[in-house]
Amino acid sequence: MSLITLVGGVSLAVIPAATISISSRVFSLAEQGSIAVMVMVATFVGQLTFAVVVESRLSSAATERRVTFPLWLAGLSLLASIAVAVQFENAVVLSIALPVLLASLEVGRGVSVAERLDTREIGAAVAVGVGALAGVLAGFAGLRWALIPLVAGIFVATLIRSLPVQHKASAPEPRVLGWVVTDVAITGSVYPLLNGMILAFLGPLQSVLFTAISTVSGVLAIPLNFLRLRLLKQHSTLDIVVSAAAVIGAVVVIFVCEFLGVFSYIFAQSWTLEATALPLLIACLWRAASLATTIPFASLRRMGEAKLLTILRGVVAVITFAGAAAVVATQQLGWIFAVLLLGELLQAALYEAARRRKTARAEGT
């Protein structure tokens, strides 16, 4: 059941990709560039909301660490879905709705994985996946209303995830909440800011391509996010092995699709094999490197070291953003992803060093 739930995470990853694909056939190039940036902004908002609603509670060691899907977020998601369905040709409405929709998907899936609501999550994942597929196919057919099935799937998934549960959400420790939110706010802002810079200096085509490559490589984040949620609860060697195997399998699938031309068909004129093969490889290595980060990260969170993690991640985020911004002038997306990869490796090394130091101190006392 856990494996099925892990695979169901594909439904979350396909929404940004489906949005970009449909936008390439519905909106102008300038609008596509703005939407590409908003996809990353929406991802950041989703991460921030997840930090408040889910991660802060799972990191509060002095509580029961229980989480639920908040009804206020479900209500906003339903309204946003309806707004996009009614104004499906309005890029502004879509841009405003995206942060709400992705936040709802991020939190809803996170709650299901953390609380092992596997049966419910299967239904929600199917709804999102079917809606995204129908929307993309409608876009291929040139139908202007292709966004409607996409948001319809999110609407149904939101209803499923809003079903009542027997437990109540724990109140997060205020100190932990503050550090966790600060952590995500600093690190998560790197990517939308970076893509905004790409849009300003390199133009909408490169911005769309950066978002598309990030989205495709983001498939690897599915098992990694699953692993992080599991490890925040308790350490599990089996979950680590399964997630690592899933990452390897995902890389193989991505490059089979790349060389078969699947992504060039999905993302239209912005994607060509010559322009994407190397950046996509580096982006996949960047995502895969998160496996080395996740294990010591979750261990430190279980120890209650939220402040230490925030400081370390903040330092790495500043260094990474500065390095990535410096190579934007090269107009090579591969160099940008290479800097992100090096930042991830630096982060993993710092976390592991901190974990070993904390463990040695605990054993010494």
Side-chain angles (χ1 to χ4, degrees), residues 4 36 115 126 137 155 159 166 181 186 193 289 307 361:
I4 294 172
E115 296 295 347
V126 169
L137 292 177
F155 189 96
L159 291 177
Q166 295 181 346
V181 173
I186 293 172
L193 288 175
K307 179 180 178 180
R361 286 182 183 178

Side-chain angles (χ1 to χ4, degrees), residues 339-362:
V339 172
L340 296 178
L341 169 60
L342 291 174
E344 194 68 35
L345 293 174
L346 173 60
Q347 194 172 196
L350 291 175
Y351 288 176
E352 181 59 23
R355 185 196 67 80
R356 291 186 180 186
R357 186 169 60 252
K358 292 291 179 182
T359 302
R361 286 182 183 178

Side-chain angles (χ1 to χ4, degrees), residues 57 69 90 93 97 107 241 264 308 353 365:
R57 289 172 167 82
F69 186 42
N90 192 320
V93 171
V107 171
V241 172
S264 61
L308 175 61
T365 56

